[in-house]
Amino acid sequence: MNSSSQNFEDLSPRGNADGESLTVEQAIANLESADLGLRFYAAWWLGRFRVCEAAAITGLIRALEDEADRTPEGGYPLRRNAARALGKLGDRQAVSPLIACLDCSDFYVREAAAQSLEMLGDPVCIPALIKLLKVGLQGEQLRSQPDLSQPYDAILEALGTLRASECIPWVKPFLEHPVELVQYAAARAMYQLSQEPVYGERLVQALNGDKLQLRRAVLADLGAIGYLPAAEAIAKTLAENSLKLIALKGLLEHQVHQTAASSLSEGAIRIMNLMDSLL
Amino acid sequence: MNDHALAQKLIHAVEAADSSDSLLDAVKQLAAAGIEESVPTLIAALGYNNPGAAVAAVDGLIAIGEVAVQPLLELIDNYNYGARAWAIRALAGIGDFRALDTLLEAAKNDFSLSVRRAAARGLGTLRWHQVPPEQVQSVQTQVLEALLLISQDPEWVVRYAAVTSLETLAILIAIIPEQVSRITERFQQMIDTDADLGVRTRVRLAQQQIQQQPQEVLIPNKKLEGAKVPYRGGGRR
């Protein structure tokens, strides 16, 4: 889940973050460093500080094919960080190389690629995402054995954000997936693809679940789809105010995009009153 | 059962709690009773590293209000950062004038965005009627300067909180026209330049609310208790 896992006491560029302080030139140069730790950190840093220079993009795209940095299990840490950074930088040149990453043997590289393709928003990746989603299906049914081989939550969220309504038949079965996070991602995508409240309500129901981690994930989902009827439930759920505020801000921005620029809708005012009470 | 007996019973339940869930329930019950006697126990609960219990204790301390201020201010000097952050949130919620310096400091310099956010909000919900009349003007200027600075915080949510407080300041205690115009100018600047749509939208709401209000003028010695103070936010879950 995109925003639920990140540290919401985010580092501000004030003062120095952990680790060394880098310059842009250094960070780009470090992508080629002999020291694998420096490479890994530089890829994260370029994404964190939104360094969109051409040399950074080129260096990160090259890092998607890195062979030097391997975990004992065969994972590719540098590729993961490079894929995550490219999503944040918004450069369409990364789309094709990220689509290629959906075939990587490392689950976490595939997950990062799906998340970044979602952020880049280019529909050209839809067929590749559907292909990966179908790994979990037999026809239009879930596989009988619980299948955790693909980052289904990230794939479903990307398809929802990309408004790939042609893939509803393959998204819907995942509402029954044994993993809750995958169910939520499917409900989120179904809402975005169909605009039917029943899927938004399904997420609202999940706010009453008893696991904090899952409630946090649902908050992120509701913020992402901007489901207005969830506003009061979001404000009441048992989770950190920081996360509730982020979710409500998602609803608010959705409202603003839907109404004329000149006036504040009744819904927007309702959301802001709730936000004020959570400060 | 009288208050004292009830407080004793509930305090004992907090002390006897043997799991994080039972501690949470005991603190919730003690907080809900709202008895002054429970202040030290509620303050202790801010330092148990149990977020649920801390949230409940903050709510209880805000409900009890002024009596809790002095003990909370003493706790601020405590080395326990976690407890300090919760204490600042309680002080922000109570809005007592004695906490002004602490809130100003926290809003500007605390490294935790949730503390800066709560403190920025607290500066807007100060109980102005506690301020001695001869100090009102200088305190207002101080709070205004701080909020204008905080409205440039790198975190959207801190800027958002600053906007809510600037709105309150403009409506509730408009005493010097220049000060109000500094607020409205800053709002216009934020509409033009703030990177965050949520913050810009909140500024639009603030502009709307300020335009709709007949401006109160603060007359020395006039109590503002009847004035509409923004909701301080219960249920800080």
Side-chain angles (χ1 to χ4, degrees):
Chain A
M1 286 270 163
N2 294 353
S3 49
S4 55
S5 56
Q6 69 187 189
N7 177 1
F8 42 88
E9 287 282 326
D10 207 356
L11 306 161
S12 301
R14 49 159 64 181
N16 48 352
D18 292 337
E20 57 179 315
S21 55
L22 284 172
T23 63
V24 170
E25 293 70 27
Q26 252 177 326
I28 294 170
N30 282 357
L31 286 176
E32 309 279 338
S33 165
D35 179 337
L36 297 180
L38 286 184
R39 281 197 213 186
F40 179 80
Y41 181 73
W44 171 84
W45 193 92
L46 291 167
R48 168 67 184 82
F49 293 106
R50 303 284 193 280
V51 178
C52 303
E53 294 184 24
I57 305 289
T58 316
L60 287 166
I61 288 175
R62 199 174 306 131
L64 293 176
E65 298 186 336
D66 172 75
E67 288 291 350
D69 192 6
R70 301 294 301 266
T71 65
E73 300 78 32
Y76 291 95
L78 177 62
R79 292 190 192 189
R80 297 171 192 170
N81 268 8
R84 289 176 193 133
L86 285 163
K88 295 189 176 122
L89 301 184
D91 190 311
R92 292 280 171 100
Q93 286 180 80
V95 172
S96 292
L98 285 168
I99 291 173
C101 286
L102 293 175
D103 291 325
C104 180
S105 58
D106 178 357
F107 175 97
Y108 297 102
V109 171
R110 298 197 297 278
E111 182 179 54
Q115 288 171 344
S116 287
L117 286 165
E118 175 185 9
M119 286 190 233
L120 294 173
D122 189 329
V124 74
C125 65
I126 290 172
L129 289 169
I130 292 179
K131 188 174 134 219
L132 211 52
L133 189 65
K134 283 182 174 173
V135 172
L137 298 173
Q138 282 162 317
E140 290 185 7
Q141 300 268 305
L142 281 186
R143 294 195 168 280
S144 45
Q145 290 300 309
D147 170 56
L148 308 172
S149 68
Q150 302 300 336
Y152 293 116
D153 51 353
I155 298 164
L156 290 161
E157 286 173 19
L159 289 168
T161 300
L162 292 161
R163 297 287 191 273
S165 43
E166 69 272 26
C167 65
I168 285 181
W170 304 297
V171 169
K172 212 166 180 172
F174 286 90
L175 291 165
E176 312 304 325
H177 195 278
V179 175
E180 280 132 323
L181 287 178
V182 176
Q183 292 172 25
Y184 301 162
R188 163 177 168 164
M190 285 303 294
Y191 180 79
Q192 288 176 309
L193 301 175
S194 70
Q195 293 298 309
E196 286 175 28
V198 60
Y199 300 113
E201 287 307 317
R202 193 163 165 161
L203 289 170
V204 172
Q205 282 306 308
L207 284 177
N208 297 321
D210 53 10
K211 292 198 192 103
L212 174 62
Q213 279 299 7
L214 293 177
R215 292 196 301 272
R216 287 174 177 163
V218 178
L219 284 173
D221 289 335
L222 286 164
I225 64 176
Y227 183 61
L228 179 61
E232 284 74 17
I234 289 171
K236 278 203 209 73
T237 192
L238 295 171
E240 295 85 347
N241 280 7
S242 302
L243 297 181
K244 297 194 223 180
L245 283 158
I246 291 167
L248 286 167
K249 184 167 85 111
L251 266 56
L252 177 62
E253 296 185 343
H254 196 80
Q255 278 297 298
V256 173
H257 286 308
Q258 294 210 307
T259 48
S262 58
S263 64
L264 291 170
S265 68
E266 181 263 330
I269 294 172
R270 218 175 83 209
I271 297 166
M272 285 187 276
N273 287 334
L274 289 168
M275 288 172 74
D276 289 3
S277 73
L278 293 166
L279 294 168
Chain B
M1 202 182 309
N2 68 18
D3 271 4
H4 175 70
L6 177 63
Q8 286 302 315
K9 178 174 156 251
L10 295 173
I11 288 168
H12 180 72
V14 172
E15 286 163 353
D18 57 0
S19 73
S20 73
D21 278 349
S22 63
L23 177 69
L24 171 58
D25 288 341
V27 172
K28 268 189 187 163
Q29 293 209 4
L30 181 64
I35 302 167
E36 281 182 24
E37 201 179 335
S38 63
V39 165
T41 313
L42 290 174
I43 287 183
L46 303 179
Y48 291 157
N49 200 14
N50 178 325
V55 164
V58 165
D59 285 348
L61 290 162
I62 291 172
I64 289 167
E66 296 188 9
V67 187
V69 172
Q70 202 51 48
L72 281 166
L73 287 171
E74 282 157 19
L75 176 71
I76 299 286
D77 300 326
N78 181 313
Y79 60 91
N80 176 343
Y81 176 77
R84 226 185 99 238
W86 290 112
I88 286 168
R89 291 164 91 164
L91 288 167
I94 295 167
D96 192 282
F97 176 59
R98 285 169 289 167
L100 177 65
D101 288 342
T102 303
L103 292 178
L104 286 168
E105 176 60 27
K108 286 188 230 174
N109 299 323
D110 202 281
F111 71 80
S112 153
L113 70 93
S114 52
V115 171
R116 295 204 304 281
R117 173 188 91 204
R121 176 70 173 165
L123 289 172
T125 52
L126 278 179
R127 299 180 175 179
W128 286 98
H129 64 269
Q130 294 177 330
V131 183
E134 67 278 7
Q135 288 184 39
V136 164
Q137 208 165 321
S138 69
V139 170
Q140 269 187 41
T141 308
Q142 228 185 334
V143 170
L144 174 65
E145 295 291 347
L147 287 170
L148 290 171
L149 183 72
I150 297 158
S151 73
Q152 303 169 56
D153 192 281
E155 284 294 340
W156 74 269
V157 76
V158 180
R159 299 198 302 278
Y160 182 104
V163 171
T164 67
S165 292
L166 286 166
E167 175 196 307
T168 309
L169 211 58
I171 290 169
L172 193 68
I173 48 165
I175 179 172
I176 309 168
E178 296 84 77
Q179 289 199 340
V180 180
S181 66
R182 286 185 70 191
I183 295 174
T184 49
E185 275 162 32
R186 176 66 191 137
F187 280 169
Q188 197 48 54
Q189 217 176 23
M190 291 176 88
I191 292 273
D192 295 338
T193 61
D194 199 286
D196 189 274
L197 176 60
V199 172
R200 294 199 306 273
T201 309
R202 187 62 187 80
V203 173
R204 282 168 57 202
L205 179 62
Q207 288 173 324
Q208 199 171 297
Q209 314 258 49
I210 291 169
Q211 274 165 6
Q212 285 168 358
Q213 289 280 339
Q215 303 246 305
E216 286 256 3
V217 176
L218 191 69
I219 301 157
N221 294 328
K222 176 187 162 198
K223 290 226 166 179
L224 273 178
E225 295 193 69
K228 182 176 159 282
V229 172
Y231 175 59
R232 290 176 201 286
R236 295 175 173 277
R237 298 285 176 275

